[in-house]
Amino acid sequence: MINDKYLIEKCDNDISAIHNALMLKQLSGTSSIDDEYEKKLAEFFKSSYAVAVSSGTTALHCALVAANVSEGDEVIIPPTAPIMTAMPILLMKAHIIFGDTNKDNFGFNLDDVLTKITSRTKAIITVPMWGYPIDTKALNKLCKEKGIVHIEDAAQAHGAMVDMDFTGTISDMGCFSTHDRKILPTGEGGFILTNNIEYYEKIKEFKQFGNMTGDSFGLNYKLSALQSAIGISRINQIEFQIELRTKNATKIKESILTNLLKEIYVPPNSRPNYYSLILRYECGYEFVEKATDEMYKNGIPSDIVRYSYRPMYEYPLFKKYSCRCDNADHLIKSIFTVCVHPGLSQSEVEEIIKAFKYYDFSR
Ligand SMILES: *Cc1c(COP(=O)(O)O)cnc(C)c1O
C-alpha cells in the first residue's frame, strides 16, 4: 500500500520556530510573528499584500466579503471544484452558477461562461485543481469589462506558475489553504494574496472583528502565531517540494504515456506544482473507472476514489444548481490522479509505473 499523505520530514526549523514563538509569549493572531509570516508570503509570491487566516475556507469567505458578494448575487464556479470552494458562497446566501470547463483542463470555457453572466454576477472563481495552472488572461479581460471580481481558489496550487507569475496572483484575489495535506502545510490555515489595497484593508479588518470598532461586521479568522511560525519555517520548502514532485512525475510520464494516455493540458510557459500528476485517457469512461478501482484495491492511491470525485452538482447540497456542463463531465470521467509526492521511494514509483503498464492504454 503506497502512502498518499506526504508529511514534511525535515522539521528541524519547525522546532526552533515554535520555540521562538513560545519564548515571545504572544501566541494569538495579532503577534509580530503573523506580520512576519504575511510579509514572507507576499515576498515569496511577489504579491503586494498577503493576509494570513485560519483556513482555506475562511480565505474564500474573506475574498467574497471583499468582493461585496451579497444575498441573491451570483458566483460562477467550475463543477470540477471540490465542495469546499462552494461552502462560503452558500454562507453568503449567494447563488452558485456552474460554468463549464474546457474538455482537457480545469480552466473555464469562456463561451459557456459568457452565457452564464447576468447583472447579478458578482464574482467568478477559478480553481486550478491538483496544482495545474490555468491561463486566465482572457477571463481577466472579460471580468474587467463586466465589472466582475475574479478570485482564484489556489488551495492546491502553491508555486504553480503561468508566464512567470504565481497562480493566486493572476486575479483580483488568490485564496490558499495551508491544511496539513497541502504543499505549504501549517496544520490548519490559509491566506489571501492581492495587489488591491482596498481588498487588503477590507480583509484585514474582517478577519479581526471589523477592527473591533463596532463600525463594521467582522469575525475572528486570525491564524495563531504558532501556525504562522510553522509557515515561516516551511515556506522555503515549496520549491524543494515542486522539484522532487516534478522529478517523480517526469519519470512516470516517460514510462507510461501513449498516444491516448496523456498528461492533462499544461499551458505554454507554465509550471504545475504536481500536487498530483493528472493523466487523461480519451477512449472509454468504463476503462478509466475499472483501471482506477483495480489499482486502488491494489494499493495505488487515487484522489478520484478517495474523495469520490464527481461534478459538484451531483452532491445533494448542490443539486438545485445543476446545469449541463458536458466538458466538465467528460473531463472528470477521463482522468487519473497519480501521487508523486517526495515521500515516495523509487521502488514505489516503479510500483505505480508497473500498475499502469498492466493496462494497455495504446488502444
Ligand atoms: C483544501 C481546499 C479548500 C479548503 O481549505 P481548508 O484549509 O481545508 O479550509 C478549498 N478549496 C480547495 C480547492 C481545496 O483544495
Side-chain angles (χ1 to χ4, degrees):
M1 184 76 188
I2 290 173
N3 173 25
D4 71 342
K5 183 179 187 299
Y6 169 65
L7 286 170
I8 286 189
E9 280 155 24
K10 290 192 199 140
C11 303
D12 320 1
N13 296 343
D14 292 0
I15 308 272
S16 65
I18 292 170
H19 179 83
N20 291 344
L22 289 171
M23 297 315 278
L24 250 183
K25 298 193 168 68
Q26 299 172 352
L27 297 186
S28 85
T30 50
S31 113
S32 57
I33 296 172
D34 292 275
D35 298 336
E36 188 190 339
Y37 179 44
E38 291 181 343
K39 209 169 141 232
K40 283 247 153 67
L41 287 169
E43 264 167 29
F44 181 90
F45 290 100
K46 300 183 174 63
S47 172
S48 303
Y49 309 103
V51 186
V53 290
S54 54
S55 72
T57 306
T58 55
L60 285 162
H61 185 197
C62 288
L64 293 173
V65 167
N68 199 21
V69 171
S70 322
E71 184 165 355
D73 284 341
E74 295 170 359
V75 180
I76 300 179
I77 60 171
T80 46
I83 57 173
M84 295 94 92
T85 304
M87 295 295 189
I89 306 172
L90 295 184
L91 179 68
M92 311 287 291
K93 296 195 166 65
H95 296 297
I96 292 167
I97 308 291
F98 289 110
D100 205 358
T101 62
N102 296 310
K103 241 182 147 171
D104 63 354
N105 70 77
F106 298 103
F108 279 115
N109 178 299
L110 287 194
D111 292 335
D112 187 71
V113 167
L114 266 173
T115 69
K116 306 277 170 70
I117 291 175
T118 72
S119 58
R120 298 235 59 173
T121 310
K122 267 283 172 60
I124 294 183
I125 306 180
T126 303
V127 190
M129 294 297 291
W130 290 288
Y132 275 82
I134 292 168
D135 184 342
T136 61
K137 282 184 215 74
L139 180 65
N140 283 342
K141 189 160 167 269
L142 178 70
C143 287
K144 210 165 218 159
E145 279 164 17
K146 307 254 179 200
I148 297 167
V149 181
H150 180 205
I151 298 167
E152 287 164 279
D153 179 356
Q156 305 179 358
H158 315 68
M161 293 178 104
V162 188
D163 293 327
M164 303 306 286
D165 292 321
F166 283 112
T167 292
T169 66
I170 52 179
S171 60
D172 296 302
M173 286 173 271
C175 299
F176 290 80
S177 165
T178 59
H179 177 265
D180 211 27
R181 287 187 71 90
K182 305 290 159 84
I183 297 260
L184 172 61
T186 63
E188 301 280 357
F191 59 92
I192 303 116
L193 302 178
T194 184
N195 292 322
N196 180 316
I197 189 162
E198 278 164 36
Y199 294 148
Y200 168 71
E201 284 175 349
K202 180 71 208 165
I203 293 167
K204 272 294 228 193
E205 178 187 292
F206 184 76
K207 80 161 196 179
Q208 41 188 337
F209 310 109
N211 282 342
M212 309 255 279
T213 59
D215 291 324
S216 65
F217 179 74
L219 292 164
N220 177 8
Y221 284 172
K222 299 192 297 298
L223 187 71
S224 103
L226 284 176
Q227 291 162 307
S228 290
I230 296 177
I232 293 169
S233 146
R234 292 180 172 184
I235 195 165
N236 289 325
Q237 292 218 11
I238 295 177
E239 284 300 325
F240 160 80
Q241 283 255 351
I242 296 177
E243 204 176 296
L244 294 180
R245 286 169 182 272
T246 306
K247 214 180 208 171
N248 284 337
T250 304
K251 182 159 184 201
I252 293 173
K253 282 193 288 180
E254 280 170 359
S255 310
I256 64 172
L257 294 193
T258 68
N259 282 342
L260 300 174
L261 182 68
K262 299 177 182 162
E263 182 172 18
I264 198 170
Y265 174 76
V266 177
N269 304 316
S270 76
R271 164 180 99 159
N273 69 4
Y274 288 107
Y275 188 56
S276 264
L277 166 65
I278 309 295
L279 305 177
R280 66 191 182 96
Y281 180 67
E282 296 289 344
C283 300
Y285 302 150
E286 286 97 48
F287 190 60
V288 172
E289 193 181 353
K290 179 171 166 277
T292 302
D293 285 343
E294 284 178 5
M295 282 195 266
Y296 194 76
K297 282 195 192 101
N298 288 315
I300 309 294
S302 160
D303 282 356
I304 307 278
V305 182
R306 173 180 239 273
Y307 299 112
S308 104
Y309 186 53
R310 65 188 81 168
M312 202 191 300
Y313 42 69
E314 287 185 12
Y315 293 95
L317 199 53
F318 304 101
K319 263 207 171 102
K320 72 172 185 184
Y321 302 111
S322 202
C323 71
R324 264 188 87 138
C325 291
D326 290 341
N327 289 350
D329 282 343
H330 171 79
L331 182 61
I332 287 173
K333 288 191 190 125
S334 317
I335 59 170
F336 292 95
T337 65
V338 187
C339 82
V340 291
H341 63 75
L344 293 179
S345 65
Q346 283 316 295
S347 72
E348 286 175 317
V349 172
E350 292 297 339
E351 205 180 314
I352 291 170
I353 291 170
K354 215 170 115 198
F356 272 93
K357 281 205 161 152
Y358 174 81
Y359 298 93
D360 183 4
F361 286 110
S362 58
R363 66 195 154 87

